[in-house]
Amino acid sequence: MENYQELTAKQKTFFQSGKTKDVQYRLNALTKLKEIMTSHEQEILDALKADLNKPEVETKRAEIGLVIGEINFMIENLSSWATTQEVETPSTHEGATSFIISEPYGSALVIAPWNYPIQLALAPLAGAIAAGNCAVLKPSELTPHTSSLLAKMINENFSEEYLRVVEGEVETSTALLKEKFDYIFFTGSTGVGKIVAEAAAKHLTPTTLELGGKSPAIVHEDADLDETATRIARSKFANAGQTCVAPDYLLVHRSVKDQLIAKMQEVITATYGENVSENLEFPHVVSERHFDRLHQFLNDGETVVGGNSDRSRLFIEPTILDHISWEDSIMQDEIFGPILPVLVYDELPKAIDAIVERPKPLALYLFTDNEKVQDDVLTKISFGGGAINDAINHMTTHYLPFGGVGNSGMGAYHGKASFDTFSHFKSILKRSNK
Ligand code: NAD
C-alpha cells in the first residue's frame, strides 16, 4: 500500500514555517506557474492530443488560456483579497473593534478528472496557492500523458514540501485520502465524490466537491432557433461531449423541436464537416469502457443526426436522438459523450416539475427571451449555475463562482471564489483593557 505520511508531514512542517503566508511568496509561485505553462505550451498541446485527440485550438482556449486568465486575475487582486477586513461592531460591544483575517488552511489535496486534465488540475491548484496553502495534486490516470507532464512541470519546479504531483490510480487516491489534509478539493463523478466525502469526514476535513449530473437545455417556443442551435451544438459537442457543464439533454417545446433539430444538423455540418468520421480533429472518447457505455445509448429512441462510430479509434460522431422518454437508459445517468437526447414538453410547468423531481443538475440552460419563463425557471429549479440564451460560458468568467448543489456538488471556485474556498476566515473581536 502506498503511504503518503512522510509527504504530508513535510508539507505540514513547511506550512508551519509561515513562508506560504507571505503574499509575495504566493505571487511569485503564481507567476512561476504561469511561466511554466507558457514554456511547456507545446508539450501540453502534444499531451492532450495523445490523450484525447484534443484540437490545439481547444487546448489553447479551454486548458491553457483559461488557467492563465485565472492566474492573471489572482495576481491582480491577491493583495486586496488577502488584506484583513475591518467590519462594523454593534453598539452592544461598545469600545471594541472587529476584523476578519483570511488564513490558508494548510496542506490541500486536489484530485482531478481527465476531461479537462490541465484546467481542472491547475485552476484549483492556483486557488490553493493564492490562498497560501501547500498542496498535493493527484491527476487522472485516464489521461496518462497529461498526468506525467503535470508531474514534470510541478515537481521539477517546486519543492515537494510546498507543491507535489502524485500520479496514480484509485489506490493512490485511496492512500492519499487516508492522510489528514487540511482541505480537499475533488472534481469528478458523484459516486466517487461520496467516497471522498466519507474519507474526509473521518478527519473532519472541509471539502469542495465539483461533481457532475444531467444538465438540461430548455428551449422555449419563442427561442431564436438559429442562435439556439449554434450555441447548444457547439457547447454539447466540444470535447466530444465530455464536459461537465455540457447540455446533457434537450427539453424543447414540441412546436419548435423539428426545426431546432434541422438547424442543429446544419451547425454540426458547418462545424465538423459533411462527414465527421473523416474529421481527424474531432476528439475521441477517453476509453473503451466509456465508448461501450455510450455506444449502448445509440439503441434508444430514433437517431436523427449522426449515429456513426468506430471503436478502433474511440470515435462517436455528434449524434441527436429523437423520441426519447425519461425512462430510456440514456436518461438515467450523466451521458458525458457526443450524444444528445431530445425530450419535448407542451406545458412549461410540467417540464419544470420533471427536472425538480430529479437530482439537482450542475448546470441549466434556458433559451427564451420571455422574462416570465426566465423567472419561473430560475426561481423554481435548484441547480449549480447556468445561462440564459447561452451554454457553458458561465464557467469562463472570473466573476461567477462555479460549482454544483446537491448531487452535483458543494462549494465553488474561480476568481475570488477560489481564494475564498481555500481560505479560512478568522473573525476577531478586539477590546482594550483600558
Ligand atoms: P472520476 O470520479 O471517475 O475520477 C476523478 C478522480 O478521482 C480521478 O483522479 C480518479 O483517479 C479518482 N478516483 C476514481 N475512483 C476513485 C475512488 N474510488 N476513490 C478515490 N479516488 C478515485 O471522474 P472522471 O471520470 O475522471 O470525470 C468525469 C466526471 O467528473 C463526470 O461525472 C463529470 O461531470 C465530472 N466533472 C465535474 C466537473 C465540475 O467542475 N463539476 C468537471 C469535470 C468533470
Side-chain angles (χ1 to χ4, degrees):
M1 181 76 178
E2 300 165 49
N3 186 323
Y4 295 100
Q5 231 170 10
E6 202 183 317
L7 174 61
T8 47
K10 276 186 187 165
Q11 290 212 342
K12 201 180 181 97
T13 307
F14 185 64
F15 180 73
Q16 291 304 345
S17 76
K19 283 194 178 134
T20 65
K21 291 188 179 169
D22 175 26
V23 170
Q24 191 55 49
Y25 188 90
R26 308 181 206 178
L27 288 169
N28 292 347
L30 288 169
T31 306
K32 191 161 161 186
L33 182 59
K34 191 169 79 163
E35 284 166 4
I36 294 165
M37 289 187 74
T38 309
S39 62
H40 289 76
E41 181 180 285
Q42 190 56 49
E43 284 169 82
I44 295 174
L45 296 172
D46 293 344
L48 270 290
K49 189 83 191 156
D51 284 332
L52 290 165
N53 196 32
K54 208 173 262 211
E56 283 198 1
V57 58
E58 266 296 295
T59 300
K60 282 187 180 163
R61 192 181 58 78
E63 304 272 10
I64 302 171
L66 205 137
V67 178
I68 289 184
E70 273 280 294
I71 295 175
N72 284 339
F73 190 73
M74 286 173 181
I75 290 173
E76 270 167 43
N77 293 288
L78 186 56
S79 299
S80 86
W81 296 343
T83 302
T84 295
Q85 299 165 48
E86 286 188 26
V87 295
E88 293 200 20
T89 305
S91 54
T92 44
H93 298 55
E94 202 189 335
T97 55
S98 310
F99 50 94
I100 303 168
I101 304 168
S102 66
E103 66 174 19
Y105 280 104
S107 175
L109 172 62
V110 175
I111 301 179
W114 52 264
N115 60 328
Y116 288 83
I118 291 285
Q119 183 207 134
L120 299 174
L122 296 185
L125 189 73
I129 295 170
N133 297 274
C134 301
V136 173
L137 166 64
K138 210 297 276 169
S140 171
E141 67 282 14
L142 291 187
T143 38
H145 295 88
T146 314
S147 173
S148 73
L149 177 60
L150 280 165
K152 181 177 134 183
M153 283 161 55
I154 301 298
N155 296 351
E156 288 181 3
N157 288 287
F158 295 96
S159 65
E160 69 172 332
E161 62 261 38
Y162 180 34
L163 304 175
R164 170 89 343 189
V165 171
V166 173
E167 289 189 87
E169 305 194 8
V170 177
E171 298 68 37
T172 306
S173 284
T174 308
L176 284 165
L177 286 167
K178 284 209 159 57
E179 299 305 321
K180 181 171 172 20
F181 283 90
D182 301 292
Y183 201 87
I184 297 176
F185 189 104
F186 171 79
T187 307
S189 58
T190 301
V192 178
K194 289 179 185 173
I195 296 171
V196 171
E198 211 176 317
K202 295 218 168 82
H203 296 296
L204 277 184
T205 304
T207 49
T208 293
L209 300 176
E210 295 280 346
L211 310 178
K214 289 186 87 61
S215 301
I218 305 174
V219 181
H220 200 51
E221 56 193 325
D222 69 310
D224 176 326
L225 295 183
D226 288 313
E227 288 299 344
T228 302
T230 303
R231 292 171 195 181
I232 293 178
R234 297 230 168 113
S235 56
K236 171 71 186 185
F237 299 114
N239 208 32
Q242 302 167 115
T243 304
C244 58
V245 284
D248 185 271
Y249 62 95
L250 275 191
L251 198 45
V252 52
H253 194 275
R254 192 183 299 277
S255 63
V256 293
K257 185 214 27 167
D258 291 338
Q259 258 179 297
L260 180 68
I261 292 175
K263 285 180 188 293
M264 287 185 68
Q265 167 77 81
E266 286 169 26
V267 178
I268 291 167
T269 306
T271 311
Y272 303 108
E274 197 71 52
N275 185 351
V276 190
S277 21
E278 284 170 10
N279 179 347
L280 299 179
E281 283 276 284
F282 192 72
H284 60 221
V285 173
V286 70
S287 67
E288 287 179 355
R289 185 174 72 79
H290 281 281
F291 178 93
D292 294 339
R293 181 182 64 77
L294 290 165
H295 196 262
Q296 288 186 7
F297 296 148
L298 298 175
N299 298 322
D300 285 353
E302 181 193 347
T303 303
V304 287
V305 174
N308 291 312
S309 61
D310 177 356
R311 192 174 194 269
S312 70
R313 57 190 180 97
L314 299 175
F315 166 80
I316 297 180
E317 84 173 303
T319 296
I320 300 180
L321 303 179
D322 196 1
H323 306 299
I324 293 293
S325 77
W326 292 104
E327 286 68 44
D328 281 316
S329 62
I330 196 166
M331 291 308 295
Q332 305 316 308
D333 281 310
E334 182 183 13
I335 300 166
F336 224 58
I339 308 175
L340 183 65
V342 181
L343 292 97
V344 288
Y345 69 90
D346 296 299
E347 293 156 35
L348 185 69
K350 289 204 175 133
I352 291 177
D353 287 349
I355 298 172
V356 170
E357 277 167 19
R358 294 175 164 77
K360 296 179 180 182
L362 177 60
L364 182 143
Y365 307 112
L366 173 63
F367 292 83
T368 181
D369 283 325
N370 181 326
E371 295 204 355
K372 164 84 174 70
V373 170
Q374 294 175 1
D375 197 48
D376 273 357
V377 167
L378 295 186
T379 53
K380 291 182 179 156
I381 306 176
S382 177
F383 55 93
I388 294 173
N389 294 317
D390 202 357
I392 286 193
N393 286 317
H394 64 295
M395 72 157 295
T396 59
T397 148
H398 313 299
Y399 300 101
L400 289 176
F402 172 73
V405 59
N407 267 30
S408 57
M410 59 180 82
Y413 73 131
H414 287 177
K416 176 148 191 307
S418 290
F419 176 85
D420 292 351
T421 283
F422 285 100
S423 299
H424 165 63
F425 289 92
K426 198 155 70 181
S427 292
I428 305 294
L429 179 90
K430 181 173 168 182
R431 291 180 69 181
S432 127
N433 286 319
K434 286 179 195 141

